[in-house]
Amino acid sequence: MRLSPEQLQQFDREGYLFFPSLFTGEEIRALNDEVPALYAQRRPENVREKSGDAVRTNFAAHMYSYPFAKLARHPRMVEPIRQLFGEDVYMHQFKINGKAAFDGDVWQWHQDYGTWRADDQMPEARAMNVAIFLDEVNEFNGPLMFIPGSHKLGVLDADHDTSTTSYPLWVINQETIKLLVDRGGIVAPKGPAGSMILFHGCLVHASSSNLSPWNRVSVYLSLCAVSNHIRRFKRPGYIAHRDFSAIRPLPDDCLLRHYEVALPWKDGTPPEELQSALKAA
């Protein structure tokens, strides 16, 4: 899967690309069937909402779940980012965001690279996100909201919010958001399960709470250029990965056929991945 010259221009201009229905219903079912068992586990990788027991984020499922280990190596996600960066990429972060019906809380306005730089000492914004819808995303169940073109402004000032939700985030203030929206507007890509978004690490984004009766579960892969790996292990390894090995994509049919993949955390999270250190080895 290679991006066309027109798509490359659009990404440079707007900071994101949307691919409706990129994955088939059968492929998405292979992933969705695995999610309830992952969310039911009492592992440190499951961060739950501030109120109630709904999972807000599941981290690192590709290290212990067979379907998601294959997804982490899928060429429809890996190849476009290798094309954009001109080099191999590794998995900086892998998460399945829950946004449960009625209980899914907000994600405040933020830039992902701002967090990666502040917490992980990632040198440059040579990392970006790929989001895959496991459910239909509509205007009612908390779709991602982007401010087009905001990635052009680099890293913006942000404050570390540790109280609004159960997951701390470097948040951009409301005055700045108003100025950005006056300049670029807001878009919220919506579509069926199986759709995919690719977006720049500096693109300002957020999502509202989910008050609807429909789940909005999505997978997020944060892929980083190998040469741009993080320099600090401040966060646990299941949040900011410490293995900088280049991803070797599987064949395009990998979600529907058997391929051997490693599941090193299947029997539990290694103790060293729960700890923090000042500098990368």
Side-chain angles (χ1 to χ4, degrees), residues 29 59 129 179 182 214 220:
R29 278 193 296 276
F59 285 103
N129 287 311
L179 292 172
D182 287 344
W214 306 297
Y220 293 82

Side-chain angles (χ1 to χ4, degrees), residues 160-181:
H160 203 203
D161 184 349
T162 60
S163 61
T164 299
T165 71
S166 62
Y167 185 73
L169 208 60
W170 288 91
V171 176
I172 299 169
N173 66 54
Q174 293 178 356
E175 182 179 350
T176 300
I177 294 301
K178 183 180 185 306
L179 292 172
L180 292 174
V181 172

Side-chain angles (χ1 to χ4, degrees), residues 9-30:
Q9 291 172 7
Q10 180 183 348
F11 181 79
D12 178 68
R13 181 177 65 253
E14 299 180 357
Y16 75 98
L17 293 170
F18 182 46
F19 304 88
S21 302
L22 187 67
F23 291 84
T24 68
E26 188 178 5
E27 289 174 319
I28 293 301
R29 278 193 296 276

Side-chain angles (χ1 to χ4, degrees), residues 162-229:
T162 60
S163 61
T164 299
T165 71
S166 62
Y167 185 73
L169 208 60
W170 288 91
V171 176
I172 299 169
N173 66 54
Q174 293 178 356
E175 182 179 350
T176 300
I177 294 301
K178 183 180 185 306
L179 292 172
L180 292 174
V181 172
D182 287 344
R183 174 180 176 270
I186 299 177
V187 297
K190 297 174 282 289
S195 299
M196 185 179 93
I197 310 173
L198 185 156
F199 61 102
H200 195 284
C202 286
L203 189 67
V204 178
H205 61 288
S207 64
S208 61
S209 60
N210 183 6
L211 298 178
S212 81
W214 306 297
N215 288 334
R216 197 225 74 182
V217 179
S218 298
V219 186
Y220 293 82
L221 289 76
S222 301
L223 303 179
C224 182
V226 169
S227 66
N228 192 52
H229 66 79

Side-chain angles (χ1 to χ4, degrees), residues 124-156:
E124 299 178 41
R126 288 176 56 78
M128 66 179 68
N129 287 311
V130 184
I132 304 100
F133 299 175
L134 297 191
D135 294 304
E136 178 189 1
V137 174
N138 57 49
E139 61 266 41
F140 306 111
N141 62 354
L144 270 174
M145 298 182 291
F146 298 130
I147 303 178
S150 56
H151 66 299
K152 295 279 195 178
L153 303 176
V155 178
L156 302 170

Side-chain angles (χ1 to χ4, degrees), residues 5 22 34 36 53 70 91-92 96 106 114 131 144 167 169 176 221 232 235 239 252 262 268:
L22 187 67
E34 182 80 351
D53 200 45
K70 293 192 295 181
M91 186 69 68
H92 172 61
I96 308 170
V106 303
L144 270 174
Y167 185 73
L169 208 60
T176 300
L221 289 76
R232 180 167 62 183
R235 300 193 289 174
I239 295 178
D252 191 76

Side-chain angles (χ1 to χ4, degrees), residues 236-248:
Y238 64 85
I239 295 178
H241 291 297
R242 303 165 182 182
D243 181 354
F244 309 141
S245 301
I247 298 172
R248 298 303 173 206

